[in-house]
Amino acid sequence: MRRALQLAEQAALAGEVPVGAVLVLGDEVIGEGWNLPIASHDPTAHAEIVALRAAAQRLRNYRLERTTLYATLEPCAMCMGAVLNARISRVVFGAWDQKAGACGSVIDLPRQPKLANRIDVFGGVCSGESAALLREFFAARR
């Protein structure tokens, strides 16, 4: 999670919403990213998607089984859809997202009974630090 927080800080420096994500297989980081929608002109370039794409390229496989995704913010529906399709095993996130969170705040995709695969989700890890980055970023923009 510490690495995800560092990546979120890089996003803020680049003028992007400060969210970072790291994908881990065993003890090895296989993908990481931060929010890039503004710079890349790509609405799908959320930190989680950037990290998943990097990991898939590294492993040369779109299935990312037995991996853990660490993100500084509760993933949105788009990102959780990608997590489910990639067969990621676990998601650990920092701050809860009361506006777009898809792990319990607004909707709860991982716990939908009709979905075939199950994902362990742990929220609130380093939530204070994650939320502070977001608060500071938006306060400076107002």
Side-chain angles (χ1 to χ4, degrees):
M1 187 58 90
R2 293 280 165 226
R3 179 63 182 148
L5 286 163
Q6 291 172 345
L7 296 168
E9 290 171 0
Q10 287 186 335
L13 290 172
E16 301 275 1
V17 175
V19 178
V22 176
L23 193 66
V24 176
L25 177 60
D27 292 333
E28 183 181 0
V29 172
I30 59 169
E32 61 182 31
W34 61 85
N35 269 2
L36 289 170
I38 297 167
S40 65
H41 310 289
D42 179 357
T44 69
H46 290 193
E48 301 93 330
I49 301 294
V50 173
L52 269 64
R53 287 176 179 159
Q57 289 299 308
R58 181 170 180 188
L59 297 181
R60 303 181 71 74
N61 193 342
Y62 72 103
R63 295 281 193 219
L64 302 170
E65 297 172 319
R66 299 181 317 278
T67 60
T68 299
L69 176 69
Y70 295 89
T72 59
L73 183 64
E74 179 183 3
C76 69
M78 174 185 69
C79 293
M80 279 310 299
V83 164
L84 289 162
N85 283 316
R87 305 286 195 265
I88 289 171
S89 300
R90 180 182 304 136
V91 173
V92 178
F93 66 87
W96 295 89
D97 185 349
Q98 299 302 321
K99 293 182 180 180
C103 295
S105 288
V106 177
I107 58 174
D108 198 351
L109 283 179
R111 291 177 187 83
Q112 290 300 311
K114 292 185 178 182
L115 294 176
N117 49 324
R118 296 286 164 239
I119 299 173
D120 292 327
V121 178
F122 303 94
V125 177
C126 298
S127 63
E129 293 160 87
S130 298
L133 280 172
L134 290 160
R135 269 192 313 277
E136 292 165 13
F137 175 81
F138 287 112
R141 296 183 69 88
R142 290 187 184 115

